[in-house]
Amino acid sequence: MNNLRILLYMMLLSLAACHPEGTSVKQGLDKAAQLMEQDPDTASIILETIQSSQMNEAQLAEYNLLCTQLNEDKNIPHSSDKQIRQAASYYEKHGDEYQKSKVYYYLACVESDLEQKEDAEIHFKEAIKLAKETEEYDHLAKICKRCSLYYQKYGNFDEALEMERKAYASQLMLNDNKSDSSVILSSALGMFGVMSLLLGLLWKKNRHALSQLDLFKEEILKKDVESDKLMLQCNHLEEKYQSLQLHIYESSPVVSKVRQFKERNVLSSKIPSFSEKDWTELLRLQENVYGLVSKLKEISPKLTEEDLRVCAFLREGVQPAYFADLMKLTTETLTRRISRIKTEKLMLANSKESLEDIVKSLGASPL
């Protein structure tokens, strides 16, 4: 049936060729334009039979526009912009608003296929602007839908969604001469397009969010590994620092002097030398290495310098009898003082531990 219809059209064109020059060209162009939407294959054959040498400028512009429209409607990628640019050049000077809108639309389609991104966007917008003025809502919806595909091609989904909304609005504005069923179908298709694009946009954003989340997880894992390495390094350095502090403490001449008191003869009247400078250095060392002074004062701010000196010697295990004379006290008086430090100042009367054990536990490990 289609072949018969094509044969009849060809016979009509052959008869028209007997008329004066230009008549067959005009009839062929008119027929191709009439069949373009319903029967593009027949329109294509008719266009192939028309000889461009018989055309004037206006007919050539129409011919080039129809050829470009045919390729676009049949989803044939455009490989050249020569034909559509000749048509655009003519219609910019001599065309009405609808013709200009149409030529700008197909020019934008060609530019989109040729990756002329900025020019395509400009001509899509110009085509939409002119189509609004003509109130050709079918044409306007067609432009907006194609422009939406253009934006989707480059990942601009917000703009694509806006074009789908405009296409849907244009379909709602179609002339009332269409049947109710066709209007409902057109509206439904428009809404379907909007919803499809919206879902696509949400899917793309969700995919982007998941991708960002995966990257974030990878960064967290890397940071965790780095943090573990740093923690190991810190622990190693802390151990080395503590070892160094102990070495400094154990090799200190002042600490050696204190420990000599444990070896002295209690009955000897000779007191080992221990100056004010030695006292200051001993307390400094015990504070820096063990935090002993600050720990004792945290328990009892009432502790005096003399009390701290007593605790410093007890920390080294020196019994009262061996350093009482250094404190200018008798052994009994020093023993009572040690008891008061524990019970009255440190408020540890109920503790079964001696002050010596308490002080040693406070200064048991380096800071």
Side-chain angles (χ1 to χ4, degrees):
M1 186 68 181
N2 286 336
N3 292 334
L4 179 60
R5 186 167 63 251
I6 293 172
L7 181 60
L8 289 173
Y9 285 136
M10 296 303 298
M11 290 176 62
L12 288 173
L13 288 173
S14 298
L15 291 173
C18 300
H19 287 265
E21 184 178 350
T23 304
S24 61
V25 173
K26 183 178 184 306
Q27 289 179 340
L29 292 174
D30 290 345
K31 202 63 184 178
Q34 180 183 349
L35 295 172
M36 188 65 68
E37 299 288 340
Q38 301 173 346
D39 193 354
D41 291 332
T42 303
S44 176
I45 294 174
I46 293 173
L47 288 174
E48 289 175 1
T49 63
I50 301 174
Q51 297 181 5
S52 59
S53 60
Q54 299 177 353
M55 301 179 194
N56 57 36
E57 186 182 4
Q59 291 170 340
L60 182 60
E62 184 179 0
Y63 172 80
N64 286 333
L65 180 58
L66 286 172
C67 288
T68 305
Q69 179 181 349
L70 182 67
N71 288 337
E72 178 65 22
D73 292 350
K74 293 177 72 174
N75 294 319
I76 299 174
H78 302 284
S79 58
S80 172
D81 61 355
K82 182 178 179 181
Q83 283 188 306
I84 191 61
R85 289 204 180 278
Q86 185 278 330
S89 178
Y90 175 81
Y91 285 116
E92 282 176 347
K93 297 177 182 177
H94 307 289
D96 57 28
E97 290 180 343
Y98 175 73
Q99 290 171 325
K100 290 179 182 178
S101 174
K102 191 173 181 180
V103 80
Y104 282 139
Y105 164 62
Y106 287 109
L107 177 58
C109 293
V110 173
E111 289 170 335
S112 177
D113 282 357
L114 297 179
E115 302 298 332
Q116 298 171 10
K117 182 179 177 182
E118 294 180 359
D119 291 339
E121 184 174 11
I122 291 171
H123 289 127
F124 271 127
K125 290 181 178 179
E126 188 65 26
I128 291 171
K129 177 183 176 183
L130 291 169
K132 287 180 179 178
E133 296 176 1
T134 64
E135 297 185 359
E136 294 286 345
Y137 295 113
D138 269 335
H139 177 58
L140 179 57
K142 183 177 182 179
I143 299 172
C144 290
K145 283 183 174 296
R146 182 62 174 82
C147 188
S148 174
L149 294 176
Y150 158 81
Y151 280 125
Q152 292 178 55
K153 175 181 177 182
Y154 294 105
N156 300 327
F157 287 93
D158 290 333
E159 291 85 348
L161 181 59
E162 182 60 26
M163 285 296 111
E164 286 289 346
R165 287 173 180 161
K166 288 182 178 180
Y168 177 62
S170 299
Q171 289 172 345
L172 294 179
M173 295 292 290
L174 290 175
N175 295 332
D176 294 335
N177 58 359
K178 287 192 174 183
S179 65
D180 291 342
S181 59
S182 64
V183 171
I184 292 172
L185 177 59
S186 178
S187 299
L189 290 173
M191 179 58 74
F192 177 75
V194 173
M195 293 303 296
S196 297
L197 185 57
L198 183 58
L199 289 173
L201 177 60
L202 292 174
W203 176 80
K204 177 177 172 55
K205 289 186 174 181
N206 182 59
R207 185 178 65 175
H208 177 70
L210 290 175
S211 176
Q212 292 296 111
L213 181 60
D214 290 340
L215 289 175
F216 180 71
K217 287 180 178 178
E218 289 179 7
E219 288 296 322
I220 290 295
L221 289 175
K222 289 180 182 178
K223 295 295 182 185
D224 286 343
V225 172
E226 292 176 3
S227 178
D228 291 341
K229 289 181 179 178
L230 288 174
M231 184 62 69
L232 289 173
Q233 292 176 0
C234 288
N235 291 338
H236 177 66
L237 289 174
E238 185 176 355
E239 290 174 2
K240 289 186 67 176
Y241 175 76
Q242 290 177 351
S243 176
L244 180 61
Q245 288 284 74
L246 282 174
H247 175 72
I248 293 173
Y249 187 85
E250 295 296 329
S251 61
S252 170
V254 172
V255 175
S256 297
K257 279 186 179 183
V258 173
R259 291 172 179 173
Q260 287 174 7
F261 278 82
K262 294 191 290 185
E263 300 169 2
R264 65 177 291 213
N265 188 343
V266 179
L267 300 176
S268 174
S269 60
K270 184 178 179 181
I271 304 173
S273 63
F274 206 82
S275 65
E276 285 294 321
K277 184 178 180 180
D278 291 335
W279 279 115
T280 302
E281 179 64 13
L282 175 62
L283 292 175
R284 186 191 69 80
L285 282 171
Q286 289 189 344
E287 172 61 21
N288 290 344
V289 177
Y290 300 104
L292 183 61
V293 175
S294 57
K295 290 176 182 177
L296 287 168
K297 287 204 168 187
E298 184 179 354
I299 299 174
S300 176
K302 297 179 181 179
L303 291 172
T304 65
E305 183 72 14
E306 295 297 317
D307 295 333
L308 293 172
R309 291 181 178 186
V310 171
C311 292
F313 264 68
L314 291 177
R315 160 67 180 75
E316 292 303 318
V318 183
Q319 297 301 310
Y322 291 94
F323 71 99
D325 50 358
L326 177 63
M327 304 296 296
K328 297 183 174 58
L329 299 172
T330 63
T331 301
E332 292 77 10
T333 303
L334 180 56
T335 302
R336 287 195 298 270
R337 182 166 190 166
I338 290 172
S339 178
R340 287 198 303 273
I341 291 173
K342 175 190 172 183
T343 58
E344 297 177 10
K345 294 192 176 181
L346 297 180
M347 305 297 289
L348 297 172
N350 296 327
S351 175
K352 295 181 180 180
E353 290 184 302
S354 65
L355 181 60
E356 179 182 343
D357 292 335
I358 292 170
V359 172
K360 283 182 176 180
S361 65
L362 290 175
S365 58
L367 294 174

